[in-house]
Amino acid sequence: MTNTLSPNTGSYLSHIHAFRGFAIINVVGAHSWSTLMYLIWGSDILKHMNLLYATTKMAFHGSTLYFAFISGLLFSKVLRNKGWKSFFKNKVLNVVAPYVVLSLFFLTTFWNWYLKSAADKGRPTEFIPALLDGIVFGRVLPHFWYIPVLLVIFLFTPLFQYLLHQPRFKWIILVLIVAPLIISRTTIPAFLSLQTLIYFSGAYVFGMWVGKDYNRTLAIISRYRGWLWCIAVAGSLALTLLILQRYESSHLIAWDQTIVYLQKTALICLILHYFSRHEAVLPRFLNLLGTYAFAIYFLHLAFTYLVARGLTGLISQHQDLLTLALSGLLVLTASIALSIVISKIIRLLLGRRSRILIGV
């Protein structure tokens, strides 16, 4: 996730900004249908709506890779020449500050809910230790795990940058990019791990490499579009089958995560190519979502849960595929819309200082 690209900057790249809007739709989509189905059926989702669950998980799971890639791309395209002091100051003010503020806000708001499960999970039950634990490990909300991972990646950016521009170390860059194919991220309940850091560093470094010579990379993508489509389609089909078969792995290599990385990397290339070619006619709402992507990321899950919970009564009476599919779409749309409304109100009240609270 990054919030360095906006229409007000001198290095504004419209199609990449739109791609960030596309990415946040996918991230919210990863939570919309799954939250709805989990509230109704718990962990037995696949017994009731296996095809819909598998389809939405195939489409949206791992979409945070898009943001890791965008962060790396924008570093090479926009931030690299502004100096390290500017880079780290930007991250402290626009990533760390809103993360800490919103962690404090959500932990305070949901404190009673937190206490109900904290002791069973071996987590602190005093507020200050719980807040520190939540910030360090990204546990205040389920999706906050990504921010500590991203912050560590930011700390390694000078090293990545050095390796990228030293010809004798290019093999290390290649290893970092392909490492996620054999070192898979960890998921529930232990999101944070060295494996997860390696997994998302691969996408980040790939973004840095693409941004280093962006036009040349787009030309390469154009040349190999056919192969990229084959990888994306084959990966999507294989991932759907694995989900339907309830594949699970606790090993270093989890084949579903390997396929997700291949699928999302191919889609990144194809979407960037398409967006760069059709920049003038891309839907305007993608730019709006790109502007508020960081705030939507932080805020959306609270709205996702509330809207999904409000729909469970209706769906429990009509447990058919169409109703659930449309209800998930409603959760997705409402979560994004409510996040933008709240963000706009905060921006109206605080002006540019809103970045410290919500990152936009």
Side-chain angles (χ1 to χ4, degrees), residues 58 227-237 262-263 266-267 270:
M58 173 275 294
W227 286 107
L228 290 168
W229 273 113
C230 288
I231 293 171
V233 172
S236 298
L237 292 173
L262 278 171
Q263 176 213 37
L267 288 173
L270 292 167

Side-chain angles (χ1 to χ4, degrees), residues 18-330:
F19 181 42
R20 191 168 59 169
F22 170 84
I24 196 60
I25 293 174
N26 283 261
V27 168
V28 179
H31 302 135
S32 298
W33 282 271
S34 60
T35 299
L36 195 58
M37 288 185 273
Y38 184 81
L39 286 173
I40 298 170
W41 297 300
S43 58
D44 292 329
I45 296 170
L46 279 170
K47 292 181 181 179
H48 302 273
M49 285 288 169
N50 55 352
L51 185 58
L52 179 62
Y53 177 74
T55 301
T56 55
K57 192 172 179 66
M58 173 275 294
F60 301 124
H61 176 67
S63 295
T64 322
L65 286 167
Y66 294 143
F67 281 115
F69 171 84
I70 293 170
S71 294
L73 173 61
L74 290 179
F75 172 81
S76 289
K77 286 290 292 177
V78 179
L79 298 178
R80 180 169 64 89
N81 296 323
K82 295 187 177 183
W84 293 116
K85 181 179 179 180
S86 175
F87 174 76
F88 287 111
K89 180 181 178 182
N90 175 279
K91 300 312 174 189
V92 170
L93 293 177
N94 298 327
V95 180
V96 177
Y99 171 59
V100 171
V101 169
L102 288 172
S103 292
L104 173 61
F105 171 78
F106 282 119
L107 185 63
T108 303
T109 303
F110 301 124
W111 178 246
N112 290 332
W113 290 358
Y114 169 82
L115 286 178
K116 291 178 182 178
S117 62
D120 293 339
K121 295 178 180 178
R123 293 171 61 180
T125 54
E126 296 293 329
F127 186 81
I128 297 301
L131 178 62
L132 293 175
D133 176 80
I135 290 172
V136 172
F137 297 103
R139 291 171 173 164
V140 173
L141 288 181
H143 64 304
F144 275 18
W145 62 267
Y146 177 63
I147 304 302
V149 172
L150 186 62
L151 293 177
V152 174
I153 290 174
F154 287 154
L155 290 176
F156 277 100
T157 298
L159 175 60
F160 295 151
Q161 171 71 359
Y162 174 77
L163 294 173
L164 188 63
H165 288 82
Q166 295 294 321
R168 66 183 184 278
F169 293 135
K170 284 186 177 180
W171 66 272
I172 299 179
I173 294 298
L174 179 61
V175 168
L176 288 170
I177 292 172
V178 303
L181 298 179
I182 56 174
I183 301 177
S184 301
R185 61 176 284 192
T186 52
T187 54
I188 296 174
F191 285 107
L192 287 189
S193 65
L194 178 60
Q195 293 171 235
T196 297
L197 178 61
I198 293 171
Y199 192 81
F200 285 93
S201 293
Y204 183 82
V205 172
F206 179 54
M208 292 179 68
W209 177 78
V210 169
K212 181 184 175 186
D213 194 345
Y214 188 53
N215 291 331
R216 178 174 175 270
T217 305
L218 287 177
I220 294 173
I221 292 171
S222 180
R223 189 184 314 156
Y224 294 103
R225 270 183 302 167
W227 286 107
L228 290 168
W229 273 113
C230 288
I231 293 171
V233 172
S236 298
L237 292 173
L239 187 59
T240 302
L241 290 174
L242 285 179
I243 296 168
L244 289 173
Q245 293 172 8
R246 306 187 187 191
Y247 169 83
E248 292 184 7
S249 174
S250 58
H251 303 294
L252 190 65
I253 301 177
W255 293 114
D256 57 337
Q257 300 302 331
T258 295
I259 295 171
V260 166
Y261 188 78
L262 278 171
Q263 176 213 37
K264 292 298 186 289
T265 301
L267 288 173
I268 283 168
C269 295
L270 292 167
I271 293 165
L272 272 182
H273 181 268
Y274 180 84
F275 278 19
S276 67
R277 292 289 186 92
H278 301 86
E279 186 173 88
V281 296
L282 292 175
R284 294 181 63 182
F285 72 84
L286 289 178
N287 284 322
L288 174 68
L289 297 181
T291 297
Y292 285 93
F294 202 32
I296 294 169
Y297 182 86
F298 273 131
L299 299 175
H300 79 273
L301 198 59
F303 295 121
T304 297
Y305 178 83
L306 292 173
V307 176
R309 193 162 186 84
L311 291 172
T312 53
L314 169 66
I315 298 172
S316 296
Q317 297 174 14
H318 306 281
Q319 294 187 19
D320 61 273
L321 181 63
L322 180 60
T323 298
L324 193 62
L326 293 177
S327 296
L329 184 60
L330 176 60

